[in-house]
Amino acid sequence: MLSKEDQRRFDQITRQLRESDPAFFNRLDHRARARRGRYLMLLTIVLWASLPAIAVFAGRLTGAICAVVLVANAAIMWRFRRRWT
C-alpha cells in the first residue's frame, strides 16, 4: 500500500508518461491486459477440468450451477477475446 502522498506522486508520474509517450504507455497497458487474460483463461481451464469432481463431491446441483457459470464465463471471454490477446 502506498501512502496518499506516494499514490498522488505515482499518479502524477503515470499521467506525465501517458502524455509524453503515449505509444510506450499503450504497449505497457496492452501487456498488462494480455497477462490478465491469460490468467483468466488458465483459471477457466482449471475450473472446467475440476467440474466433474465438483459434481461428484458437491452434488449435481452445485455441478450444474458451476457449469452454467463457466459457460457464461466462456461466452464473455469469447465476446471480448480481442482485449486479451
Side-chain angles (χ1 to χ4, degrees), residues 28-42 77 84:
L28 290 179
D29 189 45
H30 178 72
R31 286 181 179 173
R33 280 186 276 139
R35 187 175 21 251
R36 277 180 270 153
R38 284 190 290 269
Y39 288 141
L40 185 58
M41 179 63 75
L42 179 64
M77 288 185 69
W84 298 321

Side-chain angles (χ1 to χ4, degrees), residues 51 54 59-72:
L51 183 61
I54 291 171
R60 288 184 181 176
L61 179 61
T62 305
I65 291 170
C66 185
V68 168
V69 169
L70 285 170
V71 166

